[in-house]
Amino acid sequence: MSTPYRGRFAPSPTGPLHFGSLVSALASYLDARQHNGQWVIRIEDVDGTRCTPAYSQQILTTLSSYHLESDEAIRYQSQHSDLYEHYLEQLKQADLVFPCNCTRKNLAKHQGLHPNICPSQISQAHSWRLKTSNTLYQYTDRIQGLLSFTEDLKHNCPVLKRKDDFFSYQLAVVVDDHLQGISHLVRGADLIETTAQQLYLYDIFGWPIPSIGHIPLVVNSQGDKISKQNHAKAIMDGDLQTLLRALSYLGIQLEGADNIQHALSQAIPLWSPERLANITQMPLASQDQTFI
Ligand code: GLU
């Protein structure tokens, strides 16, 4: 029996929802609905220094104004530290992580990467890092085709728990996707670079790897992601024109939709990830400059 389709949109509430995030939310939603699957929203607020409850609320209000509603109660990562601790403990028992006292300044000479296990003291403030692997990861991305990661895990031991006790995105995202039974990830191509570490964690825990598809990223004229760091604006709530423009970046041109609900239901059968094959970036059209 095949596993039921369960997709998700998992924003980090470090700012309001911007145009690029709406495109990602729509891609995961349309894919789930086309498969008659479930779609859930998860708030990835593990980083207590950058995420705020006000942004979580604002993002959810905006999603709801576009009729993008979670099929289940929304999961907040900030409420599940005990679970991430449990899985970190398993990695400690298996000697797959090490404590690290390195500072950002120490790591500057390696461009911020942490290539080797360091002789750190567990008695001092420390993070927990994953031991490096020489495994070559390859997987077939539903949208980008065959992706190979030969170097990613060789030269970096990622942080799983920070010195200030916050868990990293890498550990939390894998644990939650597994525990929530997520079968399909559809997300932005900026996250391709996190995938090798996630595949490694799936392997260590012996969990099945979900189907993964990375949609092209909407970028500004400098080729940068539309993001909070680049001062992306909050999108307007419940605006049909914004929705239609966002759908156009997924290759869906609608005519005659007179409201958001209608537009979404017209878009579901038209969603075709094949149209985005092998494209990692889409420049923002001149008419859409107002979104940034
Ligand atoms: N929380 C991540 C972000 O907002 C996305 C995680 C994912 O889709 O895997 O960039």
Side-chain angles (χ1 to χ4, degrees):
M1 209 181 81
S2 62
T3 43
Y5 186 113
R6 280 175 57 85
R8 50 64 159 182
F9 177 58
S12 301
T14 56
L17 201 80
H18 55 71
F19 188 70
S21 330
L22 177 64
V23 174
S24 293
L26 284 168
S28 65
Y29 174 86
L30 294 176
D31 199 58
R33 290 294 183 251
Q34 198 179 69
H35 286 86
N36 297 314
Q38 289 175 318
W39 185 75
V40 300
I41 299 174
R42 181 172 71 229
I43 295 289
E44 299 209 318
D45 53 355
V46 263
D47 182 350
T49 59
R50 293 173 62 230
C51 300
T52 70
Y55 284 137
S56 302
Q57 198 42 58
Q58 196 178 345
I59 289 172
L60 293 172
T61 303
T62 303
L63 288 170
S64 171
S65 75
Y66 285 93
H67 293 264
L68 299 170
E69 309 269 9
S70 181
D71 290 336
E72 281 176 4
I74 289 158
R75 184 179 177 94
Y76 290 80
Q77 289 190 326
S78 56
Q79 295 169 5
H80 295 285
S81 302
D82 50 340
L83 272 177
Y84 312 135
E85 193 66 63
H86 168 82
Y87 288 103
L88 179 67
E89 198 52 46
Q90 287 193 3
L91 300 177
K92 288 185 202 169
Q93 299 298 329
D95 197 25
L96 288 166
V97 288
F98 61 95
C100 168
N101 314 128
C102 296
T103 58
R104 220 169 260 189
K105 211 164 137 202
N106 296 151
L107 297 177
K109 57 178 177 293
H110 303 294
Q111 289 78 46
L113 299 181
H114 193 295
N116 297 304
I117 298 172
C118 52
S120 281
Q121 305 298 321
I122 199 157
S123 54
Q124 290 167 17
H126 61 275
S127 59
W128 285 99
R129 286 185 181 269
L130 188 59
K131 289 189 178 173
T132 300
S133 150
N134 285 328
T135 316
L136 162 72
Y137 278 99
Q138 283 196 345
Y139 86 97
T140 303
D141 187 286
R142 257 180 83 204
I143 297 169
Q144 303 299 333
L146 183 69
L147 297 181
S148 306
F149 304 98
T150 49
E151 298 297 314
D152 298 40
L153 284 160
K154 268 195 211 160
H155 303 297
N156 195 25
C157 302
V159 171
L160 297 188
K161 188 179 187 185
R162 300 180 351 188
K163 262 188 214 171
D164 59 9
D165 268 2
F166 290 116
F167 286 93
S168 74
Y169 155 71
Q170 292 294 2
L171 182 63
V173 76
V174 170
V175 167
D176 280 351
D177 281 335
H178 174 68
L179 295 181
Q180 289 192 284
I182 300 300
S183 62
H184 288 70
L185 309 190
V186 178
R187 60 185 186 183
D190 53 327
L191 293 162
I192 289 177
E193 61 186 34
T194 67
T195 306
Q197 296 175 14
Q198 293 166 17
L199 294 175
Y200 182 40
L201 286 170
Y202 277 104
D203 260 8
I204 290 175
F205 289 121
W207 294 338
I209 294 169
S211 152
I212 309 178
H214 288 97
I215 60 157
L217 213 58
V218 183
V219 294
N220 65 20
S221 54
Q222 282 87 50
D224 297 323
K225 178 189 171 188
I226 300 175
S227 67
K228 194 175 145 234
Q229 286 85 336
N230 298 322
H231 312 289
K233 279 196 219 151
I235 49 168
M236 206 192 287
D237 281 358
D239 178 52
L240 179 62
Q241 282 316 311
T242 302
L243 178 74
L244 296 179
R245 292 306 304 147
L247 287 170
S248 77
Y249 288 83
L250 298 174
I252 299 173
Q253 315 288 344
L254 290 185
E255 273 154 40
D258 46 21
N259 64 49
I260 286 174
Q261 232 164 341
H262 190 189
L264 280 183
S265 52
Q266 282 188 352
I268 294 167
L270 298 177
W271 159 248
S272 156
E274 295 73 32
R275 277 200 209 131
L276 308 173
N278 303 317
I279 309 172
T280 53
Q281 293 198 343
M282 293 177 294
L284 195 71
S286 52
Q287 73 194 98
D288 297 329
Q289 298 298 321
T290 50
F291 292 126
I292 59 174

